[in-house]
Amino acid sequence: MNVLEVSDLKKHYPIHAGLLRREVGRVRAVDGVSFHIAQGETLALVGESGCGKTTVSRCILRALAPTSGSIRFDPGQGETVDLATLPKRALRPLRRHLQMIFQDPYSSLNPRMMVGDIIAEPLRVNGVPAAERHARVLELLDLVQMPAVARTRFPHAFSGGQRQRIGIARALALNPRLVVADEPVSALDVSVQAQIINLLLDLQDRLKLSMLFVAHDLSVVRHVSDRVAVMYVGRIVEVAPTDALYRTPRHPYTETLLAAVPAPDPMRRGRQMKASGDVADPAKPPPGCAFHPRCPYAQDRCRVERPELTEVAPGRWASCHRAQEIELAGVA
Ligand code: SF4
């Protein structure tokens, strides 16, 4: 059963110019993205800055209104709703089922509120009585491995990792159906990142969380995700079960991202091609395959014909004309 089904999602921003401010073009921040998240599954959405992954997550949370497409969400009441077209008023009661873990644990917690009040805030807004709130806050602090005494302190008393634990406790307060984690460890030190990833793994196991985990590289998502979707210039270019994607990528851009993943034993790593140049501009994407100016495997066809996302093996999808013929290097 799917908690979320995103179909052909687009978010375009018109570009206006001239005296009459005529529309002269469009920034195609998200341009036809489709994926699903099953109950209890974590999907990682990965790509460099500007690829559209954050725009996708903001459309799901309806912080942005999509240009077109559908976002079918199952809030657990027997019927799915299309978040893409729902009026704001109808969205309000659904928000409790859809929570977010923010990237920056320093700016996402109100410095003037005690930790207990921060965690209890979504409970209060949703009418949970004070006595129940108190018990639930203690339960949530325990869940994220923080001492009960933390509830009477202010956020500044805690490290970045501890603050992220508080943010996670707040996101889980209402037992959401789906958690959107927006680069939840990228603002933390590497040693602390591992602790938060371990916490998320523990929570996945205990709570059977369904999660969209947004990340800008592949170094942190391997252990936390069941499947990975790789985005490039507003489109998904590869989707696969996590282990398969790391071992045998089927899109050259995925190989490029894998080349940046620190390897425990670099000598055992395959020969990975690195892409040169910058990410394409979504206002002026290159013709054909948007990755062709950076792709070491590009051929003439790639420069004129855009590849569609097609199933290249059971459960594996890639948008590359040469997905079946080139052998790409993964990581063990
Ligand atoms: S379609 Fe061509 S340019 Fe695009 S990723 Fe595949 S080989 Fe590279």
Side-chain angles (χ1 to χ4, degrees):
M1 190 174 62
N2 292 334
V3 173
L4 187 78
E5 282 179 15
V6 175
S7 301
D8 202 19
L9 182 68
K10 293 182 182 166
K11 179 63 185 173
H12 295 175
Y13 295 94
I15 305 167
H16 298 283
L19 207 58
L20 299 173
R21 309 298 298 157
R22 287 223 171 88
E23 186 177 324
V24 293
R26 286 185 154 221
V27 177
R28 296 168 189 272
V30 176
D31 199 23
V33 161
S34 303
F35 62 84
H36 69 272
I37 298 177
Q39 170 78 55
E41 184 187 41
T42 294
L43 176 77
L45 191 59
V46 179
E48 288 161 290
S49 174
C51 73
K53 59 190 189 301
T54 303
T55 307
V56 169
S57 63
R58 297 191 73 196
C59 286
I60 292 168
L61 294 162
R62 275 297 299 274
L64 289 173
T67 304
S68 64
S70 71
I71 304 169
R72 296 220 68 90
F73 174 61
D74 175 7
Q77 292 151 353
E79 263 181 37
T80 63
V81 287
D82 186 359
L83 298 174
T85 53
L86 222 54
K88 287 263 174 195
R89 201 154 30 88
L91 275 168
R92 218 165 290 144
L94 293 173
R95 295 232 176 261
R96 61 173 300 157
H97 303 293
L98 205 55
Q99 293 289 320
M100 182 156 189
I101 300 170
F102 294 91
Q103 178 178 3
D104 185 354
Y106 293 92
S107 63
S108 62
L109 305 179
N110 186 337
R112 292 188 195 85
M113 283 173 79
M114 280 195 287
V115 165
D117 294 332
I118 290 172
I119 297 173
E121 182 72 358
L123 301 165
R124 190 187 62 73
V125 169
N126 281 276
V128 176
E132 265 179 58
R133 290 204 298 265
H134 178 72
R136 180 75 178 135
V137 167
L138 292 177
E139 195 185 334
L140 286 159
L141 282 170
D142 184 53
L143 197 65
V144 298
Q145 296 151 25
M146 292 280 288
V149 69
R151 75 188 196 286
T152 56
R153 305 225 169 112
F154 289 91
H156 67 78
F158 298 98
S159 66
Q162 289 169 320
R163 288 184 204 205
Q164 198 54 302
R165 287 174 193 269
I166 295 163
I168 292 169
R170 176 179 58 186
L172 299 179
L174 292 161
N175 290 319
R177 291 275 292 163
L178 179 71
V179 173
V180 176
D182 178 22
E183 307 219 27
V185 297
S186 62
L188 305 174
D189 291 346
V190 174
S191 58
V192 183
Q193 286 185 354
Q195 292 168 17
I196 297 297
I197 293 288
N198 282 335
L199 172 66
L200 289 172
L201 282 171
D202 180 51
L203 294 173
Q204 281 172 339
D205 204 37
R206 288 163 72 169
L207 308 176
K208 306 284 173 262
L209 280 182
S210 307
M211 185 157 59
L212 178 67
F213 190 106
V214 177
H216 66 269
D217 63 35
L218 284 167
S219 61
V220 297
V221 302
R222 186 166 197 173
H223 302 293
V224 86
S225 60
D226 299 295
R227 286 184 302 130
V228 179
V230 176
M231 275 190 83
Y232 189 74
V233 196
R235 292 171 165 261
I236 288 179
V237 296
E238 181 165 5
V239 191
T242 304
D243 224 44
L245 182 126
Y246 276 74
R247 286 178 194 280
T248 55
R250 302 300 289 270
H251 193 284
Y253 180 56
T254 310
E255 184 187 52
T256 298
L257 292 179
L258 285 171
V261 173
D265 180 0
M267 299 306 286
R268 288 185 55 208
R269 171 171 249 167
R271 179 192 57 93
Q272 279 163 325
M273 301 299 282
K274 293 204 173 103
S276 55
D278 295 327
V279 180
D281 179 356
K284 280 184 268 135
C289 172
F291 190 56
H292 87 251
R294 303 175 70 194
C295 181
Y297 308 97
Q299 293 182 332
D300 288 347
R301 182 185 178 195
C302 307
R303 295 179 187 93
V304 289
E305 193 184 322
R306 188 167 77 189
E308 294 301 327
L309 191 66
T310 46
E311 194 165 20
V312 291
R316 302 200 57 173
W317 298 71
S319 65
C320 172
H321 294 308
R322 306 190 64 198
Q324 300 288 14
E325 66 184 86
I326 48 179
E327 206 171 301
L328 303 173
V331 291

